[in-house]
Amino acid sequence: MTVTRFAPSPTGRLHVGNLRPALLNWLHARKQGGQFVLRIDDTDAERSKEEHVDAIKRDLDWLGLGWDRFERQSERLARYDAAADELRASGRLYPCYETASELDIRRKIQRQAGKPPVYDRAALKLTDEDRAKLEAEGRRPHWRFKLDQTRVTWTDGIRGDTNVDCASVSDPVLIREDGGYLYTLCSVCDDIDFGITDVIRGEDHVTNTATQIQIFDAMGGRPTAFAHHSLLVDEEGASLSKRLGSLTLESIREQGIEPLALLSYMARLGSSDPIEPRASHAELIEGFDLSRYGRAPARFSMGDLAALNTRTLHVKPYADVASLLREADVPDAIAEPFWHLIRENIDGLDGIPNWVAILNGGHAPVVDPDDTDYVTLALARLDAAKPWGAETWKAVTTDLKAETGRKGRALFMPLRKALTGRNDGPDMAALLPLLKR
Ligand code: GLU
């Protein structure tokens, strides 16, 4: 069975950049009839905050991206201890004592000499005596995974055949000086234990994947399938990374964007499928195909999202707004036809009260002075035609045309303005029977 996971670090609010892996993993699991795991990567105790965990759940709830299993890394430290012991025993995890600034200087020297800034494994040459001396100085080790300096290859679900030469990658640190575990190790343990079959994440993780495939192998686990999606850029093609802080899901929600609009937009961004408003999660799942995503950066535009939001509203099913309409005191008997009439005439759900007021006659009628006599006559004719039905508008305006000689815009617009207070809106023939008598 397909099992995917979304693994955010609770160090801030989710933004559109995080939504991409969340959504792709969710869609992939749902499409395959599999499971979706929400995993909180919170081993960095200092930066992880409980309020962010709550906000992540709230954001996913808002979007309707439910999970089948919830896990957090901070509750699995014993498992990581055991994994680290195992790697130490097999000689794949070794202690290092360099400080951050020492490593920094070394990298600068390497760069100046035209060499890649790869960790030189100096710590592997330390004797027991050297280590004892360093520890006596008060230094605590951090621990690196000893990579096989080979080329790691995999068939990426988006990028196709991919390879990384691990000879040009630094041995990754798996345990910090303070004993804290880094996600690189924890993630592999979790992916093995939770039976994760597919990992979809940003292309900034490609090198990580090569090292994690080696860690899977070292731990006797079978690597998951991997797919790396491109990262978001702005409309000019510049990286969005610095602006993501202002593109949180929370702020998008506050701007009145509908969940399905955001999902419809994000699910197709960077894929070769057209961006269309989808009326349901089922429709999104149905149309999802990982192989349609490409390597080109995905252009995120708030303007495009807002436009799609409006289009999503125009196809929003009645069932989704039924309770909202009831709260707005729209009688049940006419709520559905009413919604179908107005949905294409509003830009957001906050446009509903305006049309409810029109329904109830609580708007200011607009009558041009030149039209006063005509409107008075027309309203009298409409009044006489009660009860209003599907044919009333046509019958009354046909008679008015003959009686007054008016036609086209001059025949219809004064009436629309008098009855609705505006010069645009839905088909009057359909609206008339719904208006409060
Ligand atoms: N916590 C990691 C991140 O947010 C997870 C990456 C992954 O999907 O493996 O980057």
Side-chain angles (χ1 to χ4, degrees):
M1 179 174 66
T2 298
V3 186
T4 67
R5 85 295 195 279
F6 172 49
S9 308
T11 54
R13 292 293 194 258
L14 292 184
H15 48 63
V16 288
N18 307 122
L19 178 54
R20 215 156 136 71
L23 179 57
L24 297 190
N25 280 292
W26 186 87
L27 284 170
H28 191 59
R30 293 292 173 255
K31 177 87 192 220
Q32 307 297 323
Q35 291 202 332
F36 175 67
V37 178
L38 173 59
R39 183 184 89 200
I40 303 295
D41 286 1
D42 56 352
T43 53
D44 185 341
E46 225 159 83
R47 295 177 59 222
S48 298
K49 298 248 157 25
E50 207 48 37
E51 58 172 274
H52 296 315
V53 177
D54 295 340
I56 287 167
K57 290 179 170 173
R58 212 165 41 239
D59 285 339
L60 294 178
D61 271 341
W62 171 62
L63 290 168
L65 303 182
W67 51 92
D68 307 293
R69 178 170 179 173
F70 178 79
E71 294 286 347
R72 47 200 307 164
Q73 293 190 327
S74 58
E75 287 169 3
R76 292 176 40 81
L77 300 180
R79 168 66 170 105
Y80 309 141
D81 289 342
D85 285 344
E86 204 184 308
L87 292 176
R88 268 187 211 104
S90 61
R92 297 300 294 271
L93 197 61
Y94 64 98
C96 303
Y97 293 85
E98 295 89 347
T99 62
S101 55
E102 281 166 359
L103 290 170
D104 209 37
I105 292 168
R106 256 187 234 181
R107 281 193 291 264
K108 277 191 188 127
I109 294 171
Q110 285 171 314
R111 276 203 204 92
Q112 273 162 12
K115 292 189 193 141
V118 175
Y119 178 60
D120 61 8
R121 295 186 160 174
L124 276 180
K125 297 185 195 91
L126 296 175
T127 61
D128 287 347
E129 227 171 51
D130 295 332
R131 280 193 283 269
K133 210 171 132 222
L134 286 162
E135 301 215 5
E137 282 171 19
R139 295 210 193 199
R140 289 280 155 270
H142 56 273
W143 296 78
R144 287 187 192 260
F145 178 75
K146 189 163 170 251
L147 288 169
D148 273 336
Q149 298 191 316
T150 52
R151 198 174 279 279
V152 174
T153 61
W154 71 92
T155 303
D156 193 284
I158 293 174
R159 301 163 66 87
D161 287 339
T162 305
N163 69 79
V164 173
D165 182 4
C166 282
S168 56
V169 177
S170 293
D171 288 340
V173 176
L174 299 189
I175 308 176
R176 280 190 305 258
E177 201 183 297
D178 64 4
Y181 287 104
L182 279 136
Y183 133 89
T184 315
L185 172 66
C186 308
S187 183
V188 173
C189 295
D190 298 346
D191 288 344
I192 293 173
D193 293 358
F194 305 157
I196 303 297
T197 58
D198 297 77
V199 169
I200 307 171
R201 58 187 179 186
E203 64 183 16
D204 49 336
H205 282 290
V206 164
T207 305
N208 244 338
T209 293
T211 64
Q212 288 184 324
I213 286 176
Q214 288 206 11
I215 298 173
F216 270 107
D217 288 340
M219 292 188 8
R222 198 159 62 96
T224 63
F226 286 96
H228 295 84
H229 60 74
S230 62
L231 301 183
L232 298 182
V233 293
D234 67 15
E235 283 153 289
E236 275 77 50
S239 164
L240 256 196
S241 57
K242 293 213 177 62
R243 287 173 38 200
L244 286 172
S246 63
L247 290 170
T248 61
L249 302 190
E250 199 171 27
S251 74
I252 287 180
R253 175 165 67 232
E254 279 161 10
Q255 287 171 54
I257 301 290
E258 291 285 302
L260 269 168
L262 181 58
L263 295 177
S264 301
Y265 184 62
M266 295 302 296
R268 295 296 177 270
L269 212 57
S271 91
S272 51
D273 290 322
I275 296 177
E276 296 288 349
R278 305 286 167 176
S280 68
H281 289 75
E283 249 184 61
L284 273 175
I285 295 165
E286 169 75 30
F288 175 74
D289 181 354
L290 194 60
S291 70
R292 311 286 288 175
Y293 293 81
R295 294 179 63 159
R299 279 174 197 258
F300 178 86
S301 150
M302 200 58 215
D304 288 352
L305 173 57
L308 187 74
N309 193 47
T310 306
R311 289 175 62 202
T312 304
L313 198 67
H314 295 173
V315 296
K316 202 176 184 50
Y318 165 66
D320 289 5
V321 293
S323 61
L324 211 62
L325 294 177
R326 193 164 303 137
E327 276 166 37
D329 282 333
V330 179
D332 281 350
I334 62 160
E336 187 162 1
F338 173 68
W339 174 244
H340 289 148
L341 278 183
I342 68 160
R343 64 183 178 180
E344 288 191 25
N345 292 283
I346 54 180
D347 295 332
L349 292 175
D350 54 0
I352 294 177
N354 196 12
W355 281 101
V356 175
I358 291 170
L359 199 65
N360 293 331
H363 62 89
V366 176
V367 184
D368 293 342
D370 287 352
D371 293 328
T372 313
D373 291 346
Y374 168 62
V375 168
T376 308
L377 173 74
L379 290 183
R381 295 287 181 265
L382 276 174
D383 206 36
K386 282 174 183 169
W388 295 335
E391 304 304 324
T392 308
W393 178 261
K394 179 125 208 295
V396 171
T397 52
T398 304
D399 289 351
L400 283 168
K401 186 175 174 181
E403 192 174 346
T404 65
R406 286 188 178 234
K407 54 185 182 202
R409 205 180 148 80
L411 179 68
F412 299 112
M413 189 55 82
L415 264 184
R416 176 184 286 284
K417 279 159 69 171
L419 291 169
T420 70
R422 30 191 302 166
N423 45 16
D424 59 5
D427 176 22
M428 285 303 295
L431 185 65
L432 186 71
L434 306 187
L435 296 180
K436 215 172 192 174
R437 311 296 150 86

